[in-house]
Amino acid sequence: MNKMIDLRSDTVTKPSQEMRKAMLNAEVGDDVYKEDPTVNKLEEYAADLLGKEDALFVPSGLMGNQICLNVLTNPGDEVICHKDAHIFIYESGSPAALSGIQLFPVAGERGIISPELVEEVIRPESAYYMPRTKVIEVENTHNRAGGTIHPIENIKKLRELGQRHNLYNHLDGARIWNASVATGISVSEYASHFDSISCCLSKGLGAPIGSIIAGERDFIKEAYRIRKAWGGGMRQVGIIAAAGLFALQYNFRRLEEDHQKAKMFADKLANSGKIEIDIKSVETNIIMFRPKTLKVEELLKKCLEDGVMLSTGSVGMVRVVTHMDVSFDEIEKAAEIVLKNLG
Ligand code: TLP
């Protein structure tokens, strides 16, 4: 049987032989005692790359986001985010469940929240009967909007707004690497406009597990405490951190190739007349489109039968994600199969 072409997510990437070798040879120790040299090295490397005082290795992107929100808020507080934010749609209600906070989702094209709209929903200081606004959250790139890039000028305005109202700014930078490679803006420049950042090693960078959170030293000290309290204290985890370090060192710049693959796929489909797509939104490695000829579920089923795995985006949308484990040829083949099944 032919190999499946898995375009459901960039999380499906498997560690390469070289990455596995780095894992095999990793020096390890008990990280709960801060004695794992590989974890320490990864955290130092990531803090440096992100231009922050300190960083912490956590098991997942979800835990990264939620630890950051927990440290920045108190129960009853509110976090402003986009209505399609990962923290709102895909994190199992954990802002409420883990931190007792609520989210205020606002609308915005391509995952971008306008400072004017955000300012309108910041709760007045004097309104003791309302929740306290505490954080403005940005997701860059924006998953559900189709891997779109949050413009740096808008980020700066949201930072200025946050500072004017005494709010924190948090970045869900699960795919900040993709934004950086696509724009040429360094990850440290992006991170400089936020108090906290969470970014994933296990997506396009190809590590099997793990995320990094970064911020000021005191922030990370508190985050370290919360990670332990939530059962995320890990022991000889250098074996995994080695994969993360390898991912940052060797798989960051190659993301450009994934972006080329996404453009190639989108271009092939765009002119068919069988889908609706905002071709300009294909800025990184995610493609979202609306099939015109059949239902999303039917298309996914037919493609699966033909060896192509796709996923869903927002209602009525198909999501396609390119990554290092699919070749240009496979992308071409997948696009042909999707076109055939669109009828
Ligand atoms: N996203 C996953 C699914 O949850 C949708 C995917 O396949 O894209 N922030 C953003 C922007 C993400 O896209 C994700 C994962 C996370 C956080 C959470 O990361 P993990 O899966 O490591 O908890």
Side-chain angles (χ1 to χ4, degrees):
M1 189 177 148
N2 282 338
K3 180 189 157 206
M4 293 299 271
I5 304 175
D6 193 345
L7 300 171
R8 286 171 301 168
S9 182
D10 44 11
T11 58
V12 302
T13 47
K14 293 181 183 158
S16 62
Q17 287 309 315
E18 295 75 28
M19 185 179 274
R20 285 168 195 254
K21 224 178 272 166
M23 296 170 80
L24 183 69
N25 296 326
E27 252 191 276
V28 295
D30 191 335
D31 183 50
V32 170
Y33 292 106
K34 280 278 174 207
E35 283 173 7
D36 188 302
T38 311
V39 174
N40 293 342
K41 203 163 150 195
L42 169 65
E43 291 177 345
E44 272 166 39
Y45 186 90
D48 195 45
L49 189 64
L50 292 163
K52 293 291 187 199
E53 276 179 10
D54 210 352
L56 186 70
F57 185 48
V58 296
S60 70
L62 187 153
M63 192 189 267
N65 278 331
Q66 296 306 323
I67 289 177
C68 291
L69 295 183
N70 183 277
V71 174
L72 299 177
T73 59
N74 290 307
D77 286 346
E78 196 166 65
V79 174
I80 301 172
C81 63
H82 187 270
K83 70 172 182 45
D84 286 329
H86 197 275
I87 57 165
F88 182 51
I89 308 273
Y90 297 118
E91 301 201 0
S92 313
S94 43
L98 299 175
S99 299
I101 56 174
Q102 65 186 37
L103 303 180
F104 195 133
V106 295
E109 285 288 300
R110 294 190 187 161
I112 301 161
I113 49 177
S114 92
E116 293 75 28
L117 202 56
V118 170
E119 186 153 30
E120 269 177 33
V121 304
I122 294 172
R123 312 288 187 178
E125 274 279 327
S126 55
Y128 64 89
Y129 41 82
M130 285 182 171
R132 255 193 196 123
T133 310
K134 203 51 95 54
V135 182
I136 303 171
E137 193 254 8
V138 163
E139 187 176 311
N140 192 19
T141 63
H142 199 285
N143 180 350
R144 215 164 134 99
T148 49
I149 297 166
H150 206 108
I152 191 78
E153 289 314 317
N154 202 66
I155 288 176
K156 286 181 186 167
K157 285 185 194 158
L158 290 170
R159 179 56 160 175
E160 185 277 321
L161 180 67
Q163 292 189 326
R164 191 150 38 84
H165 287 268
N166 245 331
L167 308 178
Y168 296 114
N169 293 79
H170 171 69
L171 174 62
D172 177 351
R175 296 186 180 83
I176 194 62
W177 324 110
N178 298 80
S180 172
V181 163
T183 58
I185 298 169
S186 66
V187 287
S188 61
E189 163 65 15
Y190 277 123
S192 70
H193 305 292
F194 295 91
D195 299 283
S196 58
I197 164 168
S198 167
C199 37
C200 293
L201 304 167
S202 62
K203 304 214 157 43
L205 295 185
I209 309 175
S211 281
I212 288 285
I213 59 180
E216 284 182 0
R217 192 151 287 117
D218 284 352
F219 170 83
I220 292 298
K221 199 170 159 203
E222 200 51 29
Y224 179 56
R225 197 186 156 76
I226 303 302
R227 185 188 68 175
K228 183 78 176 103
W230 289 354
M234 301 173 283
R235 302 291 176 177
Q236 285 71 24
V237 72
I239 209 148
I240 290 165
L245 195 57
F246 183 95
L248 282 177
Q249 287 169 333
Y250 302 108
N251 291 345
F252 182 5
R253 295 290 146 200
R254 64 148 305 285
L255 290 173
E256 178 56 34
E257 199 183 295
D258 299 345
H259 301 172
Q260 288 163 6
K261 288 175 194 159
K263 286 218 167 55
M264 183 173 141
F265 187 96
D267 285 343
K268 266 188 150 317
L269 259 64
N271 298 324
S272 68
K274 295 171 188 167
I275 60 159
E276 273 172 34
I277 187 168
D278 171 8
I279 199 79
K280 287 201 287 309
S281 75
V282 186
E283 297 179 285
T284 58
N285 69 328
I286 303 181
I287 303 134
M288 296 281 186
F289 69 87
R290 187 183 298 279
K292 287 205 251 176
T293 50
L294 73 176
K295 288 208 174 93
V296 171
E297 295 67 33
E298 283 174 70
L299 179 64
L300 261 54
K301 189 167 169 277
K302 284 179 177 228
C303 289
L304 184 63
E305 282 163 9
D306 287 340
V308 175
M309 301 168 93
L310 309 171
S311 62
T312 53
S314 47
V315 183
M317 302 291 269
V318 175
R319 184 178 84 144
V320 180
V321 188
T322 61
H323 52 79
M324 66 197 299
D325 286 0
V326 284
S327 66
F328 281 96
D329 284 351
E330 285 171 324
I331 289 289
E332 198 160 341
K333 187 171 163 201
E336 274 159 22
I337 288 172
V338 174
L339 274 177
K340 181 198 89 177
N341 287 321
L342 280 164

